[in-house]
Amino acid sequence: MDSDLEETKASEVRAHLAVCMDCAAVCEDFAAIVDASHLDETADLLPPNSQALWCRINNLIESEIRPEAPAVEPPKRRLWQLSFSQMAAGFVGIAVISSLLTIVGIKNYTQPAADDFTTRSASTQTTFEKIAGKLGLMETPQQARERRIRQQQAAIAYWNDRVQSRREQWDKNMRDAFDRNLSTIDQAVNEYTLILQKDPQDDLSGEMLDSAMTEKMNLLREFSDL
Amino acid sequence: MICKPYWGRNKVSATKTTILLLLSVVFFFGLAVETASAQKRFSRNFDASRNVRLTLTNRSGTVIVEGWNRNQINITASMESPTANIQPEEINGTIYVNLIRDNQGRGEVGNVNFQIRVPFNAMVDIETKIGNLSVSNVSGGLVRAHISLEGDITLTNIGASSVAAENVTGDIFFDGEIQDGGNYRFSSMKGNINIRIPFNSSFKLVATAPSTRDISLGSFTNTSLNYVGDGRRVIGRFGEGSATLSVTNQRGSIAFIRR
């Protein structure tokens, strides 16, 4: 190759190559390599974007280099880590509480506050309502009645103030009749109040007290602008 | 002793008697004139449609409403001094008479006693602060009588399907038919409530007399009507239970009478 051999040796090699196909093939390969190395322009041999190619090669190499494994920490104990039975019990509990809250919400929405102790008297209370009442989740009929009475008393006080400022303009007959009848209503109110103090479970007296208080409130309101 | 002649004494006595008689006549005429000037009258007629409604709000005085066979409402009122203003008006088939509104701001207003005639099928809604209310011979959809303070309510020969009567002090008497599906409510604080209805009536009943526990069912006693709450209330059904009847008397009695 490249005229490195003497002429005699070269003649012997050529003769051999002429008859030996394997050696001839090897010689051709070498010759091609030597010819390529002698070319001036190397552009035809470079890939279109050699920089990008090297970048990809670098990335491949770096990815093959495994990072150093971090030190393995002992596993932490999770607070919510529960057994299957505990989780099942939890789900059942959530379902029950949601149902209770829904029922309470629906009841509060559908029942007007004004009628709650008459519609939910002790005798008509369901077992659920009794339990909820004892747990403080729901008003008992007595609590509802007391709340209702407080509201009525506030309204009565308001209308009574207005009546007091107007009554001087009425004639004497009207004033006397008003006082007489208001006294009759008050007698009924006092009577039912006493009965309820002795027997808070007396729903009928509770209903009548509510009726008498409402009557008094309506009377005062009616006369407040006379 | 000097004696006057007999005929002379008689003449003096006759003169005195004549003068006394004349004075008496003048006195009584004067009273009559005064009374006539104190009592003023009001009268007005309204043509009524078939389902006319009368809404009357009185202040004090008696109101009597009677049904008659005419398509006309006749309102007559006698007014005591100080005379009230009355300005009835008709709006969409309803006759409104409102003495509270018409006399707003006036301190003292005399009693006004109404006598009103309405078609048989009229709806009647009357109320007053003080005084008796009476309605008779009316079979329209509604009869309502409300007394804010005291007075008796008398409802006679009523065929309305919706009846309400309420007062604080005074008696309530209802005499009439109970219509199927009707609604009847009677409420008093202190007085007697008497209900006179036919035996073939059909109603659900809640009658409450908590203070006296005096609830008399009379001929209407049956196994479907039960005393509850230590006799303070009667609850149940009579007949098919078509109508609803609610009677509350806080400090008085309740009685049912067969018509």
Side-chain angles (χ1 to χ4, degrees):
Chain A
M1 302 293 292
D2 290 336
S3 303
D4 292 333
L5 296 176
E6 293 175 3
E7 190 55 34
T8 53
K9 289 280 183 184
S11 299
E12 290 175 7
V13 171
R14 284 190 198 100
H16 176 77
L17 290 174
V19 295
C20 181
M21 294 302 293
D22 293 334
C23 292
V26 171
C27 183
E28 280 179 11
D29 288 342
F30 274 111
I33 291 166
V34 170
D35 287 343
S37 66
H38 290 167
L39 287 173
D40 292 335
E41 297 178 0
T42 57
D44 292 339
L45 295 173
L46 292 174
N49 189 348
S50 59
Q51 194 66 34
L53 178 64
W54 279 113
C55 280
R56 286 199 295 273
I57 292 166
N58 271 335
N59 290 340
L60 283 170
I61 293 165
E62 286 172 5
S63 67
E64 285 178 359
I65 300 169
R66 290 176 180 257
E68 191 178 348
V72 178
E73 294 178 9
K76 288 181 182 174
R77 182 183 170 82
R78 294 171 183 165
L79 290 173
W80 46 267
Q81 197 169 22
L82 300 168
S83 68
F84 176 76
S85 59
Q86 286 172 322
M87 286 181 70
F91 280 124
V92 170
I94 290 167
V96 169
I97 290 168
S98 305
S99 305
L100 291 176
L101 289 174
T102 306
I103 291 166
V104 170
I106 289 170
K107 279 184 170 290
N108 285 341
Y109 180 75
T110 54
Q111 288 183 347
D115 297 338
D116 46 9
F117 78 82
T118 52
T119 54
R120 291 191 291 123
S121 61
S123 57
T124 59
Q125 267 191 309
T126 63
T127 308
F128 165 73
E129 286 173 329
K130 285 176 182 170
I131 293 168
K134 285 182 179 173
L135 292 174
L137 296 173
M138 184 183 278
E139 274 185 326
T140 62
Q142 287 77 33
Q143 288 170 334
R145 183 191 301 138
E146 285 164 9
R147 177 175 53 77
R148 170 88 169 142
I149 289 171
R150 282 195 299 273
Q151 290 172 348
Q152 286 174 321
Q153 284 171 337
I156 284 169
Y158 170 78
W159 291 115
N160 191 46
D161 285 347
R162 296 192 60 168
V163 164
Q164 294 307 320
S165 66
R166 300 281 301 182
R167 59 177 288 135
E168 290 307 315
Q169 297 174 29
W170 309 339
D171 60 66
K172 187 176 182 305
N173 284 341
M174 189 68 81
R175 276 199 301 270
D176 291 346
F178 178 83
D179 291 341
R180 253 192 325 269
N181 286 275
L182 199 64
S183 167
T184 300
I185 297 173
D186 281 337
Q187 283 172 15
V189 168
N190 293 337
E191 186 179 325
Y192 299 130
T193 305
L194 282 173
I195 292 171
L196 285 168
Q197 281 172 356
K198 290 177 187 168
D199 180 10
Q201 306 288 333
D202 187 352
D203 298 329
L204 186 55
S205 292
E207 186 187 326
M208 289 296 108
L209 175 62
D210 178 62
S211 172
M213 295 278 278
T214 302
E215 183 124 4
K216 182 174 181 179
M217 190 170 62
N218 289 339
L219 184 67
L220 289 165
R221 184 170 53 197
E222 193 180 327
F223 277 76
S224 68
D225 60 354
L226 184 66
Chain B
M1 181 179 177
I2 300 170
C3 292
K4 288 188 177 177
Y6 182 73
W7 62 270
R9 284 192 305 217
N10 276 351
K11 193 177 177 182
V12 170
S13 176
T15 306
K16 283 181 179 173
T17 306
T18 306
I19 290 168
L20 278 173
L21 277 173
L22 280 173
L23 283 173
S24 302
V25 167
V26 168
F27 176 74
F28 280 114
F29 266 104
L31 271 183
V33 168
E34 191 178 331
T35 306
S37 66
Q39 287 269 351
K40 286 195 176 179
R41 290 187 72 79
F42 171 92
S43 183
R44 191 161 165 191
N45 289 322
F46 293 90
D47 288 332
S49 60
R50 184 165 178 76
N51 295 315
V52 69
R53 177 177 177 137
L54 170 73
T55 299
L56 183 144
T57 306
N58 197 9
R59 191 175 164 118
S60 62
T62 300
V63 180
I64 298 170
V65 179
E66 292 173 310
W68 67 349
N69 192 18
R70 286 193 201 177
N71 287 329
Q72 203 172 46
I73 289 183
N74 169 251
I75 300 174
T76 307
S78 66
M79 299 174 287
E80 296 174 10
S81 184
T83 312
N85 293 323
I86 305 179
Q87 294 170 338
E89 55 185 0
E90 182 180 3
I91 301 172
N92 297 329
T94 300
I95 312 297
Y96 291 95
V97 183
N98 190 333
L99 269 74
I100 302 296
R101 180 198 60 193
D102 296 344
N103 297 278
Q104 194 73 47
R106 291 184 60 186
E108 192 172 348
V109 176
N111 288 348
V112 180
N113 301 310
F114 283 95
Q115 175 91 35
I116 300 173
R117 279 175 285 194
V118 299
F120 289 129
N121 51 13
M123 290 182 276
V124 176
D125 180 356
I126 53 175
E127 60 179 84
T128 187
K129 306 291 181 208
I130 306 170
N132 298 335
L133 301 180
S134 169
V135 182
S136 59
N137 305 326
V138 172
S139 297
L142 166 77
V143 170
R144 175 179 173 267
H146 173 89
I147 300 174
S148 306
L149 296 176
E150 54 196 28
D152 297 336
I153 297 174
T154 308
L155 309 176
T156 314
N157 197 22
I158 303 297
S161 58
S162 181
V163 176
E166 51 199 348
N167 61 9
V168 176
T169 307
D171 296 339
I172 296 176
F173 175 71
F174 173 81
D175 164 72
E177 304 277 342
I178 298 289
Q179 304 290 345
D180 285 349
N183 199 326
Y184 301 83
R185 190 162 52 85
F186 306 97
S187 170
S188 179
M189 267 284 164
K190 189 179 177 184
N192 301 306
I193 300 179
N194 292 298
I195 315 283
R196 185 169 174 264
I197 52 178
F199 191 68
N200 61 0
S201 302
S202 165
F203 54 87
K204 292 185 285 287
L205 173 69
V206 178
T208 314
S211 196
T212 63
R213 303 174 192 219
D214 186 357
I215 305 173
S216 168
L217 295 174
S219 305
F220 296 91
T221 305
N222 72 12
T223 53
S224 299
L225 289 170
N226 301 308
Y227 285 83
V228 296
D230 298 330
R232 291 176 294 173
R233 171 174 277 177
V234 172
I235 191 164
R237 180 170 52 83
F238 190 81
E240 294 296 313
S242 175
T244 302
L245 184 51
S246 167
V247 191
T248 305
N249 199 344
Q250 302 263 10
R251 300 171 72 79
S253 65
I254 297 170
F256 286 83
I257 305 157
R258 183 173 177 168
R259 193 181 189 210

